[in-house]
Structure formats: C-alpha cells, structure tokens
Amino acid sequence: MKRLILIRHAKSDWSDLDASDHERRLNARGQQAAQLMSQYLHSQHLSPDHVLCSDAKRTVETLDLLALQNVEQTITRKLYLAEPDQMAATLKRQSEECVMIIGHNPGCAMLAEMLLDKVPDHPQFFRYPTCALLVADFDIETWASLRMNTGTVVDFIVPRDLNA
C-alpha cells in the first residue's frame, strides 16, 4: 500500500507587483492556512516519508510552515507549475510508502482527479483551493506501478473546513 498526500501551496501575496511568479511569498492568510494544515496533519498522524516540493517561494514557505520533522525533502524546479503527467512521473520514481507533493494549480487539481477511482463529495474538490490537502491510498507495491483512476480517497480538506 502506498499513500499520497497532495497539497496545493497556501495563498500567495500579490502586493509586490515587481515580484516574479516564482518569487511570490505567502500572504498572512496563507501563512495561517499552512499552520492550520500543519496542526491537522499532526493531529491525524499524517507524516510523509518524503516530501517533493516545487522550488517556488510560496511552496517552500508552505512546506516550512507544515513543520514536518525528520522528513526527507526534495525541492525541485521540475514541480514548478508542473502538469499532472510530470507530477505523476516524479511520483513514480519514489520508493517511500508515504509521499507528499506540494505544488500548484491546475496541476494539483488535475492530478488528484486523474488518480482517484472516485472523487470526494466535497464542494471544493474540483477547484482545489490554496492549501487544499488530499490523502489517497493506492493498492500497489511500488510507485512505479501507479495507474490512473486507482486511488482511494482517505481525506480531502481545505483550510476553511478547519476554521468552521
């Protein structure tokens, strides 16, 4: 059994008009959302063995705020605005049981929909808002054997669910 935790970066700050897309940081709301997701991950004992993260400032900052301890991390340009097939190819090269990917839309939303056998009954799933988190299990022995439409949803949550 393999587990994927797929997170879209938290809300970014658009106030610096001179900052490139790659250099945009999180705004205060995004920082708070990432901290809420951190609390949620810890309360649910969801700890990945390896994190694959886009090298954009906002994804790296999201990763930092998740406060994952003793977890191998790979920060890579390959996941910056990656298409779902690129994200899946990166995942297929992993060996760990539980992998977290922190990326961007539309890639995260599209990958989540493509991987699952049945999408969750959540009004925000197809939008995959900032800091949305999907936990999906795959009945496979290696990530290399990952196939589309085979994942089972364990959880899908957005920051607003935690504020309620």
Side-chain angles (χ1 to χ4, degrees), residues 85-117:
D85 56 344
Q86 175 64 38
M87 296 171 78
T90 302
L91 182 58
K92 285 182 175 188
R93 289 191 293 273
Q94 305 312 304
S95 60
E96 298 81 8
E97 296 300 310
C98 181
V99 176
M100 175 184 284
I101 296 178
I102 304 175
H104 308 267
N105 257 1
C108 283
M110 294 168 67
L111 180 64
E113 185 179 354
M114 290 167 54
L115 286 176
L116 299 174
D117 63 350

Side-chain angles (χ1 to χ4, degrees), residues 13-20:
D13 186 356
W14 288 82
S15 65
D16 182 357
L17 300 177
D18 293 326
S20 70

Side-chain angles (χ1 to χ4, degrees), residues 116-149:
L116 299 174
D117 63 350
K118 181 180 175 194
V119 299
D121 185 22
H122 192 289
Q124 296 296 315
F125 178 74
F126 292 103
R127 195 170 144 270
Y128 220 99
T130 53
C131 223
L133 180 148
L134 169 71
V135 180
D137 284 345
F138 299 86
D139 189 13
I140 54 177
E141 290 188 29
T142 66
W143 283 113
S145 61
L146 178 69
R147 300 290 175 261
M148 297 301 135
N149 304 104

